Amino acid sequence: MDYMNNVTISELPESERPREKMFKRGPKSLSNAELLAIILRTGIKNQSALSLAYKILSQYNGLRFLANTTVEELSQIDGIGLAKATQLMAAAELGKRISQYGAEDDTYIKCPKDAADILMEDMRYLNKEHMKVILLNIKCKVISIEEISVGSLSSSLAHPREIFIPAIKKSSAAIIMAHNHPSGDPQPSKDDIELTKRIYEAGRILGIELYDHIIIGNGIYVSLKEKNLF
């Protein structure tokens, strides 16, 4: 890592320079640091774009930091500044939007993985618990994705009233609850299970079925329906 913090891109073999490597091998061949270096474009005196990228990943909790930071926080990092901060924030936001592209345009949920795939990149790095609800029509087509709350899933933040209001307004036939675990471990807690049962029962009364509750971790998920927990 020390070597990579000091090396300039011009000192690398041409085939290992991020841009050339992407051109010849495709974006999947690049590390996170190399992708960041391409976004940053240039470095500063005595520090290349690649060095800056390694600095962000090694000192600032990596991609999780980028997913939750602000332009102001980024611009305080030595060597980043306002221009590079806005570039990084724009790239991070674009990545989130791409991950959800088409989620509300003829997208159908056929299994828990379909729901997890829609939400994974948007929710996996969040440092607070976010509750979202996927609204579905009678054919399991996605109507919309609604954010319900941010914070620990207390009874007040995840009250059935808050969850079903958007479903009623948009005439949903069914919903899928989803929330993330900032720890990265999606295993459901006792509170998660109890909350799911409450929402399921409330849905039965309202005639809006709860199909599943998906818990998002860091690249992995748990479906409470698949585990027969409600």
Side-chain angles (χ1 to χ4, degrees), residues 42-103:
T42 60
I44 57 174
K45 186 178 180 180
N46 299 324
Q47 201 167 27
S48 69
L50 190 57
S51 298
L52 282 175
Y54 274 108
K55 179 180 180 179
I56 293 170
L57 292 175
S58 63
Q59 297 182 21
Y60 296 94
N61 204 18
L63 296 180
R64 182 179 291 275
F65 170 71
L66 290 177
N68 292 281
T69 191
T70 64
V71 170
E72 291 75 18
E73 288 174 331
L74 275 171
S75 63
Q76 296 304 309
I77 298 174
D78 185 34
I80 298 300
L82 185 59
K84 284 181 168 46
T86 54
Q87 289 170 208
L88 290 171
M89 286 296 294
E93 179 61 26
L94 186 60
K96 292 178 182 178
R97 295 186 187 187
I98 289 172
S99 72
Q100 289 191 302
Y101 181 75

Side-chain angles (χ1 to χ4, degrees), residues 6-24:
N6 294 319
V7 71
T8 63
I9 292 177
S10 62
E11 291 174 326
L12 292 171
E14 186 172 331
S15 62
E16 293 303 315
R17 297 172 189 172
R19 291 179 186 174
E20 287 79 359
K21 189 173 177 181
M22 177 180 280
F23 180 73
K24 292 182 178 180

Side-chain angles (χ1 to χ4, degrees), residues 50-224:
L50 190 57
S51 298
L52 282 175
Y54 274 108
K55 179 180 180 179
I56 293 170
L57 292 175
S58 63
Q59 297 182 21
Y60 296 94
N61 204 18
L63 296 180
R64 182 179 291 275
F65 170 71
L66 290 177
N68 292 281
T69 191
T70 64
V71 170
E72 291 75 18
E73 288 174 331
L74 275 171
S75 63
Q76 296 304 309
I77 298 174
D78 185 34
I80 298 300
L82 185 59
K84 284 181 168 46
T86 54
Q87 289 170 208
L88 290 171
M89 286 296 294
E93 179 61 26
L94 186 60
K96 292 178 182 178
R97 295 186 187 187
I98 289 172
S99 72
Q100 289 191 302
Y101 181 75
E104 299 171 19
D105 182 18
D106 293 333
T107 297
Y108 293 82
I109 303 297
K110 299 178 181 178
C111 62
K113 184 177 183 300
D114 291 341
D117 285 347
I118 291 172
L119 300 169
M120 182 61 70
E121 293 309 312
D122 186 41
M123 300 184 74
R124 66 187 292 184
Y125 297 120
L126 297 173
N127 56 16
K128 292 183 179 179
E129 288 192 0
H130 288 239
M131 166 67 77
K132 296 192 177 188
V133 173
I134 302 175
L135 307 182
L136 304 169
N137 70 10
I138 196 169
K139 295 183 178 180
C140 292
K141 177 182 174 181
V142 176
I143 298 172
S144 69
I145 300 172
E146 308 287 333
E147 183 155 89
I148 303 301
S149 64
V150 179
S152 299
L153 294 186
S154 65
S155 59
S156 60
L157 285 172
H159 192 279
R161 176 183 61 251
E162 307 304 324
I163 290 173
F164 284 106
I165 283 176
I168 293 169
K169 285 183 176 179
K170 297 191 177 182
S171 302
S172 304
I175 64 171
I176 295 174
M177 294 167 56
H179 81 278
N180 64 299
H181 280 179
S183 67
D185 180 0
Q187 292 304 312
S189 67
K190 181 179 178 182
D191 288 343
D192 292 335
I193 296 169
E194 290 303 314
L195 172 63
T196 307
K197 291 177 179 178
R198 287 180 61 217
I199 301 303
Y200 176 77
E201 291 301 326
R204 289 182 63 187
I205 295 171
L206 292 170
I208 302 174
E209 186 175 355
L210 174 65
Y211 280 169
D212 206 342
H213 184 176
I214 304 291
I215 303 178
I216 301 290
N218 188 3
I220 52 178
Y221 72 92
V222 166
S223 158
L224 272 71

